[in-house]
Amino acid sequence: MSSSNRITKPHEIVERALELSTADGLVVIADEGSSANLRWAGNALTTNGVTRSRTLTVIATVDGKEGTASGVVSRSAVTADDLEPLVRAAEAAARGAGPAEDAQRLVTGTPASPDFTDAPAETSSAVFADFAPALGEAFARAREGGRELYGFANHELVSTYVGTSTGLRLRHDQPNGTLELNAKSPDRQRSAWAGRSTRDFKDVDPTVLDAELAVRLGWAERKIDLPAGRYETLLPPTAVADLLIYQMWSAAARDAVEGRTVFSKPGGGTRLGEKLSELPLSLRSDPNAPGLESAPFVIAHSSGDDASVFDNGLPVPATEWIADGHLNRLSTTRHTASLTGMQLSPGFGNLILDAGGEKSLEEMVAATERGLLLTCLWYIREVDPATLLLTGLTRDGVYLVENGQVVGEVNNFRFNESPVDLLSRASEAGRTEKTLPREWSDWFTRAAMPALRIPDFNMSSVSKGV
């Protein structure tokens, strides 16, 4: 057996790929993943399983008279025999490309991760050791209460190894867990949803979620038809997260400077420093936020206005995007920071909104004279990038609140709103808590948000969706 065939560990694969390179620069990203899941329907488990994955991304850079070009190639299930063809493919892609607009010197000087040569972290079905019995108890309670539970629990653990020709040797282990639970009446006419984000399933209790959903199904026993219009609306943390994640995806500095986003100032420039809300809102990201920890350095598999492969390994600091209600930062790479003259603000791995509120959502309901309480939003799409006008649908329960009490379930709506506008009109923010963004949970789960009270949320039309 050749020595190359014995190369199986992620750090060995990274090192071997670097050795094989004939390019001027090389970045190698090895992602070793494992996942465990449970699925259930009608108060019974249906499937469970564990999977493993490996993806290797090679980024070659080639210097030329007109500038530096880059080539990026990714492959899954990579073995030692695949390494040289993969490196050569990345080099060929770089040599066949024109100069990269975002070209920068590869990052240097970041201290090596002490666990770079350790085996990747792995999850297993053991992550559900305490959760599974509690789920069984939730099934029993649901059967007794005349409701059916559907949903899934998924836990992923990805170990990412980044090595570069400039000497970086970095590693980050990212756990990511999601729990989604639907409760339905036996006739399927009533449905309620709850979701949670977790790192290890030790802080989620399905019996608590089932009890919450039982209350909501009870509210839905009375049906009330309402027309489209503007209503005082309580947006729960999950809905706030979905809207603000989209806002941050639209917060690239270069796009704003070029007049293409809601953060562009009419006549030129950006809205940096502008007051976006009367509430003392702080929107921030922090790789070290407890319970929401994310990669402390840039991991970029491709380049765009908010990411650059040349920035791999660049430290990611805590960043306050909105400070005391004012727009404070827009996202930049090293390239776009130099283009725009703005501070370097690499992308974010979590998102936290805080306005100092202390009320729970239940307390905000109790303080509502008449308004709507949403469960979640879905099918969110952009209508107008200049205003960040979004449209989408409500789902799994819209409830009418009168004199501090929920009096029934109303029909679903299509909404038309801009999250930036919503921040300017929000009259109250509740207590910040960890939440699962329902619409974006396949891409982004690490969020903490308060509920927001919007005096005039635009329900633009009635929807027949569930």
Coordinates of all heavy atoms in Angstrom, one line a residue, residues 233-245 277 279-284 292 322 351-364 373-375 377 422-423 426-437 447-454:
T233 N -49.8 44.0 15.1 CA -49.4 42.6 15.0 C -48.2 42.3 15.9 O -47.2 43.1 16.0 CB -49.0 42.3 13.6 OG1 -50.1 42.5 12.7 CG2 -48.5 40.8 13.4
L234 N -48.2 41.2 16.6 CA -47.1 40.7 17.4 C -46.4 39.7 16.6 O -46.9 38.6 16.3 CB -47.6 40.1 18.7 CG -48.3 41.1 19.7 CD1 -48.8 40.3 20.9 CD2 -47.3 42.2 20.2
L235 N -45.1 40.0 16.2 CA -44.2 39.1 15.5 C -43.4 38.3 16.5 O -42.7 38.9 17.3 CB -43.3 39.9 14.6 CG -43.9 40.7 13.5 CD1 -42.8 41.4 12.7 CD2 -44.7 39.8 12.5
P236 N -43.6 37.0 16.6 CA -42.8 36.2 17.5 C -41.3 36.2 17.1 O -41.0 36.5 16.0 CB -43.4 34.8 17.4 CG -44.0 34.8 16.1 CD -44.4 36.2 15.7
P237 N -40.4 35.8 18.0 CA -39.0 35.8 17.7 C -38.6 35.1 16.4 O -37.8 35.5 15.6 CB -38.3 35.1 18.9 CG -39.2 35.5 20.0 CD -40.6 35.4 19.4
T238 N -39.3 33.9 16.1 CA -38.9 33.2 14.9 C -39.2 34.0 13.6 O -38.4 34.0 12.7 CB -39.7 31.8 14.8 OG1 -39.4 31.2 13.5 CG2 -41.2 32.0 14.9
A239 N -40.3 34.8 13.6 CA -40.6 35.6 12.4 C -39.7 36.8 12.3 O -39.2 37.2 11.2 CB -42.1 36.1 12.5
V240 N -39.3 37.4 13.5 CA -38.4 38.5 13.5 C -37.0 38.0 12.9 O -36.4 38.7 12.1 CB -38.2 39.1 14.9 CG1 -37.1 40.1 14.9 CG2 -39.5 39.6 15.4
A241 N -36.6 36.8 13.3 CA -35.3 36.2 12.8 C -35.4 36.1 11.3 O -34.4 36.4 10.6 CB -35.0 34.9 13.5
D242 N -36.4 35.5 10.8 CA -36.5 35.3 9.3 C -36.4 36.6 8.6 O -35.7 36.7 7.5 CB -37.8 34.6 9.0 CG -37.7 33.1 9.1 OD1 -36.7 32.5 8.8 OD2 -38.7 32.5 9.5
L243 N -37.0 37.6 9.1 CA -37.0 38.9 8.4 C -35.6 39.6 8.5 O -35.1 40.2 7.5 CB -38.0 39.9 9.0 CG -39.5 39.4 8.7 CD1 -40.5 40.2 9.5 CD2 -39.8 39.5 7.2
L244 N -35.0 39.5 9.7 CA -33.7 40.2 9.8 C -32.5 39.5 9.2 O -31.5 40.1 8.8 CB -33.4 40.5 11.3 CG -34.4 41.6 11.9 CD1 -34.0 41.9 13.3 CD2 -34.4 42.8 11.1
I245 N -32.6 38.2 9.1 CA -31.6 37.4 8.4 C -31.6 37.8 7.0 O -30.5 38.1 6.4 CB -31.9 35.9 8.5 CG1 -31.5 35.4 10.0 CG2 -31.0 35.1 7.5 CD1 -32.0 34.0 10.3
S277 N -34.5 53.1 13.9 CA -35.6 52.8 14.8 C -35.6 53.7 16.0 O -34.5 54.1 16.5 CB -35.4 51.3 15.3 OG -36.4 51.0 16.3
L279 N -36.6 52.6 18.8 CA -36.3 51.7 19.9 C -34.7 51.6 20.0 O -34.1 51.7 19.0 CB -36.9 50.3 19.7 CG -38.4 50.2 19.6 CD1 -38.8 48.8 19.3 CD2 -39.0 50.7 21.0
P280 N -34.2 51.4 21.2 CA -32.7 51.3 21.3 C -32.2 49.9 20.8 O -31.6 49.2 21.6 CB -32.5 51.5 22.8 CG -33.8 50.9 23.4 CD -34.9 51.3 22.5
L281 N -32.4 49.6 19.6 CA -32.1 48.3 19.1 C -30.6 48.1 18.9 O -29.9 49.0 18.4 CB -32.8 48.1 17.7 CG -34.3 48.1 17.7 CD1 -34.8 47.9 16.3 CD2 -34.9 47.0 18.6
S282 N -30.1 46.9 19.2 CA -28.8 46.5 18.9 C -28.9 45.2 18.1 O -29.4 44.2 18.6 CB -28.0 46.3 20.2 OG -26.7 45.6 19.9
L283 N -28.4 45.2 16.9 CA -28.3 44.0 16.1 C -26.8 43.7 15.9 O -26.1 44.4 15.4 CB -29.0 44.3 14.7 CG -29.0 43.1 13.8 CD1 -29.9 42.0 14.3 CD2 -29.5 43.5 12.4
R284 N -26.5 42.5 16.4 CA -25.0 42.2 16.4 C -24.8 40.7 16.1 O -25.7 39.9 16.1 CB -24.5 42.5 17.8 CG -25.1 41.7 18.9 CD -24.7 42.2 20.3 NE -25.4 41.6 21.4 CZ -25.0 40.4 22.0 NH1 -23.9 39.8 21.6 NH2 -25.7 39.9 22.9
L292 N -24.7 30.2 20.9 CA -24.8 30.5 19.5 C -23.4 30.6 18.9 O -23.3 31.2 17.8 CB -25.5 31.9 19.3 CG -26.9 32.0 19.9 CD1 -27.4 33.5 19.8 CD2 -27.9 31.1 19.1
I322 N -26.3 47.2 14.0 CA -27.2 48.4 14.4 C -26.9 48.7 15.8 O -26.9 47.8 16.7 CB -28.7 48.1 14.2 CG1 -29.0 47.8 12.7 CG2 -29.5 49.2 14.7 CD1 -30.4 47.4 12.4
L351 N -26.8 35.8 14.7 CA -27.5 37.1 14.7 C -28.3 37.3 15.9 O -29.1 36.4 16.3 CB -28.3 37.3 13.4 CG -28.7 38.7 13.0 CD1 -27.4 39.5 12.7 CD2 -29.6 38.7 11.8
I352 N -28.1 38.5 16.6 CA -28.7 38.7 17.9 C -29.3 40.1 17.9 O -28.6 41.1 17.6 CB -27.7 38.6 19.1 CG1 -27.0 37.2 19.0 CG2 -28.4 38.9 20.4 CD1 -25.7 37.2 19.7
L353 N -30.6 40.2 18.1 CA -31.3 41.5 18.3 C -31.7 41.7 19.7 O -32.3 40.8 20.3 CB -32.5 41.6 17.4 CG -33.3 42.9 17.4 CD1 -32.5 44.0 16.8 CD2 -34.7 42.7 16.7
D354 N -31.4 42.9 20.2 CA -31.7 43.2 21.6 C -32.1 44.6 21.7 O -31.5 45.5 21.1 CB -30.5 42.9 22.5 CG -30.8 42.9 24.0 OD1 -32.0 43.1 24.3 OD2 -29.9 42.8 24.8
A355 N -33.2 44.9 22.5 CA -33.6 46.3 22.7 C -33.9 46.5 24.2 O -34.5 47.5 24.6 CB -34.9 46.5 21.9
G356 N -33.4 45.6 25.0 CA -33.5 45.8 26.5 C -34.9 45.5 27.0 O -35.1 45.7 28.2
G357 N -35.7 44.9 26.2 CA -37.1 44.5 26.7 C -37.0 43.4 27.6 O -36.1 42.5 27.6
E358 N -38.0 43.3 28.5 CA -38.1 42.3 29.5 C -39.3 41.4 29.4 O -39.4 40.4 30.0 CB -37.9 42.8 30.9 CG -36.6 43.6 31.2 CD -36.5 44.1 32.6 OE1 -37.5 44.0 33.3 OE2 -35.4 44.6 32.9
K359 N -40.3 41.9 28.6 CA -41.6 41.1 28.6 C -41.5 39.9 27.7 O -40.8 39.9 26.7 CB -42.7 42.0 28.0 CG -43.2 43.1 28.9 CD -44.3 43.9 28.2 CE -44.9 45.0 29.1 NZ -46.0 45.7 28.4
S360 N -42.1 38.8 28.2 CA -42.3 37.6 27.3 C -43.4 37.9 26.3 O -44.1 38.9 26.4 CB -42.7 36.4 28.2 OG -44.0 36.7 28.7
L361 N -43.5 37.0 25.3 CA -44.5 37.2 24.3 C -45.9 37.1 24.9 O -46.8 37.8 24.6 CB -44.3 36.1 23.2 CG -45.4 36.1 22.1 CD1 -45.3 37.4 21.3 CD2 -45.1 34.9 21.1
E362 N -46.0 36.2 25.9 CA -47.3 36.1 26.7 C -47.7 37.4 27.3 O -48.9 37.8 27.3 CB -47.3 35.0 27.7 CG -47.1 33.6 27.1 CD -45.8 33.3 26.5 OE1 -44.8 34.0 26.9 OE2 -45.7 32.3 25.7
E363 N -46.7 38.1 27.9 CA -47.0 39.4 28.6 C -47.3 40.5 27.5 O -48.1 41.3 27.8 CB -45.8 39.8 29.4 CG -45.5 38.9 30.6 CD -44.2 39.2 31.3 OE1 -43.2 39.4 30.6 OE2 -44.2 39.1 32.6
M364 N -46.7 40.4 26.4 CA -47.1 41.3 25.3 C -48.5 41.1 24.8 O -49.2 42.0 24.5 CB -46.0 41.3 24.2 CG -44.7 41.7 24.6 SD -43.4 41.5 23.3 CE -43.9 42.7 22.1
L373 N -51.7 37.9 16.6 CA -50.5 37.2 17.1 C -50.1 36.1 16.0 O -51.0 35.3 15.7 CB -50.8 36.5 18.4 CG -49.8 35.4 18.9 CD1 -48.4 36.1 19.2 CD2 -50.3 34.7 20.1
L374 N -48.9 36.2 15.4 CA -48.5 35.3 14.4 C -47.7 34.1 15.0 O -47.2 34.2 16.1 CB -47.6 36.0 13.4 CG -48.1 37.2 12.7 CD1 -47.1 37.6 11.6 CD2 -49.5 37.0 12.1
T375 N -47.7 33.0 14.3 CA -46.9 31.9 14.7 C -45.5 32.0 13.9 O -44.5 31.9 14.5 CB -47.6 30.6 14.4 OG1 -48.7 30.5 15.2 CG2 -46.7 29.4 14.7
L377 N -43.7 32.8 9.6 CA -43.8 33.2 8.3 C -43.1 32.1 7.4 O -42.2 31.4 7.8 CB -43.1 34.5 8.1 CG -43.5 35.7 9.0 CD1 -42.6 36.9 8.7 CD2 -45.0 36.1 8.7
L422 N -40.1 47.9 9.1 CA -40.7 47.4 10.4 C -39.9 47.9 11.6 O -40.5 48.2 12.6 CB -40.7 45.8 10.3 CG -41.7 45.2 9.3 CD1 -41.5 43.7 9.4 CD2 -43.1 45.6 9.7
L423 N -38.6 47.9 11.5 CA -37.8 48.4 12.6 C -38.1 49.8 12.9 O -38.1 50.3 14.1 CB -36.3 48.2 12.3 CG -35.8 46.8 12.2 CD1 -34.2 46.8 12.0 CD2 -36.1 46.0 13.4
A426 N -41.7 49.7 14.7 CA -41.9 48.9 15.9 C -42.1 49.8 17.1 O -41.3 50.7 17.3 CB -40.7 48.0 16.0
S427 N -43.1 49.5 17.9 CA -43.4 50.3 19.0 C -43.0 49.6 20.3 O -42.9 50.3 21.4 CB -44.9 50.6 19.1 OG -45.6 49.4 19.2
E428 N -42.6 48.3 20.3 CA -42.2 47.6 21.5 C -41.4 46.4 21.1 O -41.7 45.7 20.1 CB -43.4 47.2 22.3 CG -43.1 46.5 23.6 CD -44.3 46.0 24.4 OE1 -45.4 46.0 23.8 OE2 -44.1 45.6 25.6
A429 N -40.4 46.1 21.9 CA -39.6 44.8 21.7 C -39.7 44.1 23.0 O -39.5 44.7 24.1 CB -38.2 45.2 21.3
G430 N -39.8 42.8 22.9 CA -39.9 42.0 24.1 C -38.5 41.5 24.5 O -37.5 42.1 24.2
R431 N -38.5 40.4 25.3 CA -37.3 39.8 25.8 C -36.6 39.0 24.7 O -37.2 38.2 24.0 CB -37.6 38.9 27.0 CG -36.4 38.2 27.7 CD -36.9 37.5 28.9 NE -37.8 36.5 28.7 CZ -38.9 36.2 29.3 NH1 -39.3 37.1 30.3 NH2 -39.7 35.2 29.0
T432 N -35.3 39.2 24.6 CA -34.5 38.4 23.6 C -34.3 37.0 24.0 O -34.0 36.7 25.2 CB -33.1 39.1 23.3 OG1 -33.3 40.4 22.8 CG2 -32.3 38.3 22.4
E433 N -34.6 36.0 23.1 CA -34.4 34.6 23.4 C -34.0 33.9 22.2 O -34.2 34.3 21.0 CB -35.8 34.0 23.9 CG -36.9 34.2 22.9 CD -38.2 33.7 23.5 OE1 -38.6 34.2 24.6 OE2 -38.9 32.8 22.9
K434 N -33.3 32.7 22.4 CA -32.9 31.9 21.3 C -34.1 31.4 20.5 O -35.2 31.1 21.1 CB -32.1 30.7 21.7 CG -30.7 30.9 22.1 CD -30.0 29.6 22.6 CE -30.0 28.5 21.5 NZ -29.4 27.3 22.0
T435 N -34.0 31.4 19.2 CA -35.1 31.0 18.3 C -34.7 30.3 17.1 O -33.5 30.4 16.7 CB -35.9 32.3 18.0 OG1 -37.2 31.9 17.3 CG2 -35.2 33.2 17.0
L436 N -35.6 29.6 16.5 CA -35.3 28.9 15.2 C -36.0 29.7 14.1 O -37.2 29.7 14.0 CB -35.8 27.5 15.2 CG -35.6 26.7 13.9 CD1 -34.1 26.5 13.6 CD2 -36.4 25.4 14.0
P437 N -35.3 30.3 13.1 CA -35.9 30.9 12.0 C -36.5 29.8 11.1 O -35.8 28.9 10.6 CB -34.8 31.6 11.2 CG -33.6 31.5 12.1 CD -33.8 30.4 13.1
A447 N -29.8 32.2 16.0 CA -30.4 33.5 16.2 C -31.0 33.6 17.6 O -31.5 32.7 18.2 CB -31.4 33.7 15.1
A448 N -31.0 34.9 18.1 CA -31.7 35.2 19.3 C -32.4 36.5 19.0 O -31.7 37.5 18.6 CB -30.7 35.4 20.5
M449 N -33.7 36.6 19.2 CA -34.5 37.7 18.9 C -35.6 37.9 19.9 O -36.0 37.0 20.6 CB -35.2 37.4 17.5 CG -34.3 37.2 16.4 SD -33.6 38.7 15.7 CE -32.1 38.1 15.0
P450 N -36.1 39.2 20.0 CA -37.3 39.5 20.8 C -38.5 39.4 19.9 O -38.4 39.5 18.7 CB -37.0 40.9 21.3 CG -36.3 41.5 20.1 CD -35.5 40.4 19.5
A451 N -39.7 39.3 20.5 CA -40.9 39.6 19.8 C -41.0 41.1 19.5 O -40.5 41.9 20.3 CB -42.1 39.1 20.6
L452 N -41.6 41.5 18.4 CA -41.8 42.9 18.1 C -43.3 43.2 18.0 O -44.0 42.4 17.4 CB -41.1 43.3 16.8 CG -39.5 43.3 16.8 CD1 -39.0 43.7 15.4 CD2 -39.0 44.2 17.9
R453 N -43.7 44.4 18.5 CA -45.0 44.9 18.2 C -45.0 45.9 17.1 O -44.3 46.9 17.2 CB -45.6 45.5 19.5 CG -47.1 45.9 19.4 CD -47.5 46.7 20.6 NE -47.4 46.0 21.8 CZ -48.3 45.1 22.3 NH1 -49.4 44.9 21.6 NH2 -48.1 44.5 23.5
I454 N -45.7 45.6 16.0 CA -45.8 46.5 14.9 C -47.3 47.0 14.8 O -48.2 46.3 14.7 CB -45.5 45.7 13.6 CG1 -44.2 44.9 13.7 CG2 -45.5 46.7 12.4 CD1 -43.0 45.7 13.9

